[in-house]
Amino acid sequence: LLLHHSPAHFPLQLSHQSLFSSLNLFSQSLSIFRQMVLAHKPFDRHTLPVVLKSCAGLSALRLGQQVHGAVLVNGFGLDLANSNALMNMYGKGGHLVCARKVFDRMWKRNEIAFSTMMAGYGMHGKCGEVFDRMVEAGEARWCDFYGSFECM
């Protein structure tokens, strides 16, 4: 795939980046992002979750931490998709403390946030531990994970 550096091609590149990431072609996805950065093309809140997914897929923690900085500097720190992608990246990399810090700083949490935390801890054999703490602290209820059941 030959990519040009003209502005008209960057929306196409972004869609290729998303496609590559969804197909687990993480290196290709990061290559497109690198081209965007080198060409000084702006990115928005939709770009960085794709990059973070690719970082998680490649266990590229150092790059993921740099992207975390870009999330914060660009004002996307309160965006749910970016926060969930950060938790996923840190969780898959075994950096559960960092994942939990992102979770704790979220102003709004949804089912994806809870599931992402559970998956991260579960990958490292600590799922019950985090779930029990969340329930005890009133942060989660059983229905947060089983949406088809009503909470009473």
Side-chain angles (χ1 to χ4, degrees):
L1 180 63
L2 179 61
L3 300 172
H4 304 283
H5 290 287
S6 69
H9 288 91
F10 278 96
L12 179 61
Q13 287 183 345
L14 186 55
S15 66
H16 280 122
Q17 180 194 22
S18 298
L19 174 66
F20 287 147
S21 181
S22 67
L23 294 173
N24 295 334
L25 299 171
F26 303 124
S27 294
Q28 292 88 333
S29 175
L30 290 177
S31 176
I32 292 171
F33 180 68
R34 183 176 182 272
Q35 289 178 19
M36 288 175 65
V37 170
L38 291 174
H40 304 287
K41 298 300 174 188
F43 47 85
D44 62 16
R45 67 182 185 87
H46 303 289
T47 309
L48 298 179
V50 176
V51 176
L52 288 164
K53 179 181 179 184
S54 296
C55 292
L58 294 171
S59 299
L61 179 65
R62 183 169 297 213
L63 178 58
Q65 290 171 321
Q66 292 173 349
V67 175
H68 188 170
V71 167
L72 297 175
V73 166
N74 287 284
F76 307 141
L78 297 178
D79 179 70
L80 281 173
N82 279 281
S83 295
N84 289 332
L86 283 166
M87 289 187 304
N88 179 56
M89 189 255 321
Y90 284 125
K92 283 185 176 178
H95 296 273
L96 302 177
V97 171
C98 293
R100 182 62 196 223
K101 284 181 182 178
V102 172
F103 182 83
D104 288 342
R105 292 179 180 149
M106 292 176 75
W107 66 276
K108 180 180 179 184
R109 298 178 188 121
N110 60 8
E111 294 83 8
I112 296 169
F114 285 107
S115 297
T116 301
M117 281 300 295
M118 295 297 292
Y121 275 79
M123 278 182 216
H124 303 285
K126 299 182 179 187
C127 186
E129 172 187 321
V130 71
F131 183 75
D132 290 342
R133 279 193 298 165
M134 292 169 119
V135 170
E136 286 173 12
E139 296 175 322
R141 302 168 297 169
W142 280 104
C143 64
D144 292 328
F145 298 96
Y146 302 102
S148 62
F149 299 106
E150 252 184 71
C151 286
M152 296 186 198

